[in-house]
Amino acid sequence: MTKPTLAGGAAIFGVVAATSLLLSAAAGAQTTINFLSAQNDDVFAPVIEAFEAANPEYRVVHQSVPFNDLNTAVESRVGSGDSSIDVYAADTPRVPAFASKGYLVNLDDEAEAIEAAVPNPVEIDLVSHDGSIFAYPMWTSSQLLYFNRELLDAAGIAYPDPAPEDRLTWEQLIADAEAAQAAGATWGFMFQQVDRYYQLQPLFESAGAGSGLTGDDLLEPALTGEKWIETAQWYGDLFESGLAPRGVTPAQTDDLFERGELAYFVGGPWALNRFNQVDGLDYGVAPMPYFEGGEPVTPTGAWALGINPHAANLEGARKFAAFATLTAEGSYLTTVNFALMPTNAEGFERYQGRLAEMTEKVGPVLDIMVYEMANTAVVRPRSVGYVAFETEMNQAFGDIRNGADAAEVLEQTENRLARLLARL
Amino acid sequence: MDRLRQPLTILAFLGPALLAVVLLRLWPAVFAVDLSLRPPRGEGYSLENYQFIFTDPQFLNSLVVTAIYSLIVNPLQIAIALALAVLMNVAVPLIGLWRTMVLLPVAIPQSVSAVVWGVGLRPDGPVNALVQALGFEPQRFLTSPDQALASIILIVSWIGVGYWMTFLLAGLQEIPRTLYEAARIDGASRWQQFRYVTLPQLRRTLTFVLVANTVANFLVFAPVQILTQGGPQGSTNLIMNEIYSQGFVIGDARSAAAATVVLVSFVLAVVSIQFRMMRAPEDEER
C-alpha cells in the first residue's frame, strides 16, 4: 500500500510543480507596473482596464494610500531607492521639491508629445522645474460652492446666483449660513478640505494677504501681515461660533453634506459623482465666494503622474503614464469616476459633454469651472520649499480652527518655516 | 576536536539571530548616527543637526510633552493593570469572560482603535452625548490643547492595560499559595499580604512590565498620527510623531536622525535606571 501512495504523491507533486512553473512563466511574460496614488481603486480602474486591453504584456497594480500618507510613501520609498513603485501621483506644487531631490524622471525627451496633448502652457509650467518637465500633467481642479436646496428652502433663503459676476461674498454667505443653521441645519457651512492650504489659500489671496511665501525663490515665509492675521482669525471664528464643526477631518466632510447636515459646502468637482449617487440629496452649485472689496480667487492644480527614477520597469511606467495623460481616451477614463478636469485637451472635450449633462440637476457646473479656470484660478506657490510650507500651514490652520490665537500661531509658523526653509 | 567544533556549532545556531541583530538593529543605528552628523548643506561631519533640533521650539516642546506623557501614562497603566490583575486573580463567576473582556482591546490594531475613538471623541460624537446625558457640559477632547494629551492617554491605556494585566496575572499565579497561608497564620491583613508577599514576589514580572511599557509608551505613534498629528498647538506632539513628521513629511531626514539618536539614548538611560531601581536588595549583595 505504501509504495503506490508514495509514487502517487510524487506524481501529484510533479504535476503541481510543473503547473506552477508554467504559471510563473506565463506571469513572467506579463510585466507588472506598480502605480501609487491617493485615490480609491475605482478611480483608476477604467483607465487601467483600457491600458491592459491595449497592452496585454502589462499588468497595472494600483496601490492606494490615504491622502496624508502619499507624501510620506513617496518620501520614504522613492527617496530610499525602492524599485517597487513605477508610477506615482504627485500633487503639482510638490513637483519642484520632488524633482530637486531626484524623485522624478526628467521627461524632456517626451516634451513635444506632452505639449501637444496639453496645449495650456500653465499646465506645463505646473509640472516643470528648472526648465524641464518632470511629470505627466493629468488633472487640474477648480472649486464650487455646493448648497443644500432643502435646507435653504426651510430657511427661506434664495439660492446663490450661478453667474460668476454675481457670486456671493463671504460676508453674505456667512449671514445666510447662520440663518440656515437657525432654521434647522446642523451646520451652516464647511470647507471640504478643512485645514488644508489648497482650499484656504484663496481666502488669503482674495483678502489681498498674499500666498504666504515671498522672495525670488519663494523661500521666505510672510504670514504675519495684518491681512493674514485678520483672515486667519475669520477662519477660526467660523468654528468658534459653531457655524462649522471642529474635530472633523477632510476625509469626513463629504459625509456631512451627503447626509444633509450642511447648508453650504465649498468643495472640488470630484465630489459631484458621489453626491449624484445619493438618493434624495437635492443640491446645487454656485461659484466660490470672495471677500467684499477683494478679488474672486479659486484654487487650482491637481495630481500629475511622476515616474520613479528607480522604477523596476521604466519603459512600462512611462507607457502607462503617457496613456493615462496624453491620449484622449486614457485621460477621459481617469475622470469617469472622479470628476476632476483632465488637462488633456481632447480628454477635456469628452469630459465637458458628461459634465454638461449635470446642469439640469445641479446648475451650470461646467460654465462655472471654465470661467474660474480662465479668470480666478491662482496656483499654489511653486518652490522647493512647498512641501515643508504646506505641512506647517495645514498644522497652523488646524490649530486656529481649534481655537488658538491666529496671530500667535502665524508668528510661530513663520519662525519655524524660516528655520526649515533655510536648511533646504 | 570537540573543543574546536563547539564554538562553530554555537555560532551556527546563533548565526541567524546575530545576523538579524546586525542587519536590523546595529546597522540602522550606525546609519542613523552617521546621518545625524552630516550637515544639511555641504560635506563632512558636524553637529549642525543637533544644534538645529536643540534650538527648535517644536522639538524642545516635543521633549516636554513626551516627558509629561511618560510620567503620567506609565504609572497609571501599571497601577490599573496591577489592580485589574489582582481582581482577575480572584475566583469569581465567569472569570474567563471578564479576563477576555479586559484583554479584548489588545486584539484590535492600534490604528483601528484610534479611528474608532477619534469618531467617539468628536465634539459631536457619542462620548459627548453620554457626557451631556449625565448632565455635564460637552467636552472638546482631541480638539482642545488642554484635553488632547489626556484623550491620547485614555486611548492608549484602553488598549494597553489589558495587555500588561495579562503578564501581571501570570506573575500572580506563579506565587506559591503557601506564602499567603504563612502570612495569614502570622496575622497579616489583606493589605499586608499584598505589600509583603504579592509585590516582592511580583518584582521580576513588574520589572519586565515597567521596562517594556515604558519603551512602548516612548514609541507611541499611531494614535497621535491618526488623531491629532501632534496638535492642537503641539500639545500631543510626542517625540515619535515629531521625528516622523520631520523625516517623512517635511523630508528632513538628517534632523530626524539626530532626534532619533536623542530618543534612543534617552530611552536607554531611563530603562537602565529602571533596572537598577527594581533590583532586589538580595541581588545587590551578590
Side-chain angles (χ1 to χ4, degrees):
Chain A
M1 266 313 274
T2 336
K3 272 186 184 170
T5 316
L6 262 180
I12 291 170
F13 177 77
V15 171
V16 170
T19 316
S20 56
L21 266 178
L22 272 175
L23 278 177
S24 61
Q30 222 184 9
T31 315
T32 300
I33 301 167
N34 288 301
F35 170 33
L36 181 74
S37 93
Q39 261 62 52
N40 289 339
D41 283 342
D42 67 317
V43 172
F44 289 111
V47 69
I48 290 175
E49 203 178 303
F51 176 75
E52 286 177 342
N55 303 276
E57 68 274 28
Y58 291 114
R59 198 169 68 94
V60 180
V61 177
H62 178 235
Q63 302 177 22
S64 173
V65 294
F67 180 90
N68 278 339
D69 296 340
L70 182 65
N71 183 54
T72 319
V74 171
E75 195 67 56
S76 59
R77 293 178 64 183
V78 177
S80 64
D82 186 346
S83 63
S84 68
I85 297 174
D86 297 298
V87 185
Y88 64 93
D91 201 3
T92 45
R94 289 174 182 254
V95 167
F98 287 168
S100 70
K101 285 181 167 184
Y103 295 176
L104 290 168
V105 167
N106 185 314
L107 303 175
D108 280 348
D109 54 344
E110 229 174 322
E112 232 170 87
I114 295 175
E115 282 162 7
V118 183
N120 184 349
V122 175
E123 298 299 337
I124 300 296
D125 208 37
L126 284 175
V127 292
S128 303
H129 174 63
D130 265 354
S132 287
I133 298 179
F134 279 95
Y136 295 89
M138 178 166 62
W139 296 330
T140 187
S141 68
S142 187
Q143 216 65 188
L144 298 162
L145 172 67
Y146 293 81
F147 55 91
N148 183 313
R149 291 203 179 101
E150 271 175 48
L151 293 176
L152 265 54
D153 287 344
I157 304 167
Y159 302 150
D161 199 311
E165 57 278 13
D166 295 324
R167 71 177 74 218
L168 288 179
T169 61
W170 283 113
E171 289 80 358
Q172 279 168 300
L173 176 89
I174 298 310
D176 288 352
E178 280 167 351
Q181 198 177 22
T186 315
W187 306 105
F189 169 74
M190 186 59 168
F191 287 103
Q192 180 184 41
Q193 306 242 322
V194 62
D195 296 348
R196 286 195 187 146
Y197 182 77
Y198 163 77
Q199 202 174 44
L200 302 183
Q201 181 193 2
L203 296 178
F204 296 90
E205 301 275 8
S206 175
S211 73
L213 280 178
T214 58
D216 289 342
D217 299 324
L218 292 178
L219 285 172
E220 291 163 34
L223 305 171
T224 45
E226 201 180 304
K227 284 179 177 164
W228 255 95
I229 295 173
E230 219 171 84
T231 312
Q233 198 57 56
W234 176 89
Y235 176 70
D237 289 344
L238 296 176
F239 303 92
E240 185 67 43
S241 70
L243 187 70
R246 283 176 172 151
V248 176
T249 68
Q252 298 167 334
T253 51
D254 284 0
D255 299 335
L256 296 177
F257 191 76
E258 214 174 280
R259 288 200 299 259
E261 293 180 15
L262 268 177
Y264 297 96
F265 184 59
V266 166
W270 57 90
L272 288 164
N273 287 49
R274 224 182 121 169
F275 293 162
N276 285 342
Q277 284 165 12
V278 180
D279 283 332
L281 178 65
D282 186 10
Y283 76 99
V285 297
M288 182 169 175
Y290 71 110
F291 281 114
E292 210 172 280
E295 293 288 315
V297 175
T298 52
T300 188
W303 302 99
L305 294 184
I307 308 295
N308 177 7
H310 312 287
N313 180 16
L314 270 177
E315 197 190 329
R318 293 184 68 152
K319 209 167 176 180
F320 171 67
F323 178 79
T325 58
L326 306 184
T327 68
E329 186 198 0
S331 88
Y332 170 69
L333 287 175
T334 60
T335 66
V336 171
N337 291 330
F338 197 69
L340 265 183
M341 294 165 250
T343 49
N344 181 299
E346 289 172 51
F348 188 73
E349 298 276 313
R350 295 202 203 177
Y351 168 87
Q352 272 186 321
R354 200 165 50 84
L355 228 62
E357 291 167 12
M358 293 183 196
T359 304
E360 200 182 333
K361 179 176 161 66
V362 303
V365 53
L366 183 67
D367 297 345
I368 296 173
M369 290 200 293
V370 169
Y371 177 89
E372 305 285 36
M373 292 299 294
N375 299 289
T376 64
V378 170
V379 298
R380 286 164 281 175
R382 298 186 50 68
S383 141
V384 291
Y386 181 76
V387 175
F389 175 71
E390 189 195 82
T391 307
E392 293 303 316
M393 290 315 295
N394 294 358
Q395 192 83 48
F397 290 134
D399 287 345
I400 292 167
R401 176 186 176 205
N402 282 326
D405 180 67
E408 223 169 90
V409 171
L410 288 174
E411 196 190 327
Q412 281 166 6
T413 307
E414 187 178 270
N415 290 340
R416 181 164 162 77
L417 272 170
R419 286 167 53 89
L420 286 175
L421 298 179
R423 281 171 66 85
L424 291 174
Chain B
M1 230 354 225
D2 273 357
R3 274 198 192 161
L4 241 180
R5 211 181 280 162
Q6 211 178 7
L8 281 179
T9 316
I10 293 171
L11 199 67
F13 275 105
L14 286 180
L18 284 175
L19 194 70
V21 167
V22 170
L23 275 182
L24 301 175
R25 304 272 177 204
L26 294 180
W27 184 75
V30 170
F31 183 75
V33 172
D34 178 76
L35 192 64
S36 76
L37 290 169
R38 292 180 181 273
R41 291 169 168 178
E43 302 289 311
Y45 289 93
S46 84
L47 290 175
E48 203 180 319
N49 297 316
Y50 290 93
Q51 203 177 10
F52 173 75
I53 60 172
F54 280 112
T55 52
D56 179 15
Q58 187 166 319
F59 178 74
L60 295 176
N61 173 59
S62 81
L63 290 183
V64 174
V65 172
T66 309
I68 296 173
Y69 169 81
S70 300
L71 286 175
I72 297 173
V73 78
N74 292 312
L76 183 81
Q77 285 189 353
I78 293 171
I80 297 176
L82 183 59
L84 279 173
V86 172
L87 203 65
M88 297 292 157
N89 198 28
V90 200
V92 290
L94 299 176
I95 186 67
L97 178 71
W98 305 129
R99 283 180 192 164
T100 311
M101 299 249 293
V102 175
L103 189 63
L104 210 54
V106 179
I108 304 166
Q110 260 201 354
S111 50
V112 177
S113 304
V115 171
V116 173
W117 274 99
V119 175
L121 291 177
R122 249 163 68 167
D124 59 345
V127 176
N128 255 339
L130 190 71
V131 168
Q132 278 172 294
L134 293 173
F136 297 102
E137 286 284 296
Q139 299 298 309
R140 289 181 52 194
F141 300 117
L142 292 161
T143 66
S144 150
D146 303 322
Q147 296 180 359
L149 190 62
S151 304
I152 297 282
I153 290 177
L154 172 83
I155 295 165
V156 297
S157 300
W158 180 77
I159 304 166
V161 158
Y163 182 68
W164 301 116
M165 179 206 77
T166 316
F167 291 94
L168 295 174
L169 192 58
L172 283 179
Q173 293 182 339
E174 284 291 301
I175 303 174
R177 298 202 162 271
T178 48
L179 290 179
Y180 289 102
E181 280 162 24
R184 271 201 296 275
I185 291 166
D186 291 342
S189 68
R190 281 224 159 216
W191 167 249
Q192 282 169 325
Q193 286 176 39
F194 176 75
R195 173 70 188 79
Y196 296 105
V197 178
T198 310
L199 275 187
Q201 289 293 318
L202 210 54
R203 174 176 280 118
R204 276 173 214 287
T205 319
L206 266 176
T207 308
F208 167 75
V209 168
L210 181 64
V211 170
N213 193 18
T214 306
V215 173
N217 278 321
F218 269 122
L219 305 184
V220 158
F221 171 68
V224 174
Q225 170 56 25
I226 290 168
L227 295 172
T228 63
Q229 292 91 48
Q233 291 162 270
S235 62
T236 59
N237 194 19
L238 294 175
I239 188 161
M240 277 297 283
N241 187 66
E242 170 64 18
I243 292 172
Y244 168 84
S245 50
Q246 197 67 17
F248 294 118
V249 183
I250 292 176
D252 187 350
R254 294 170 186 209
S255 77
T260 308
V261 172
V262 172
L263 171 66
V264 172
S265 321
F266 195 66
V267 172
L268 283 178
V270 169
V271 168
S272 60
I273 293 171
Q274 283 179 340
F275 269 120
R276 226 166 251 274
M277 279 167 53
M278 295 298 285
R279 210 178 280 167
E282 58 268 27
D283 293 339
E284 303 266 357
E285 284 155 21
R286 255 181 246 160

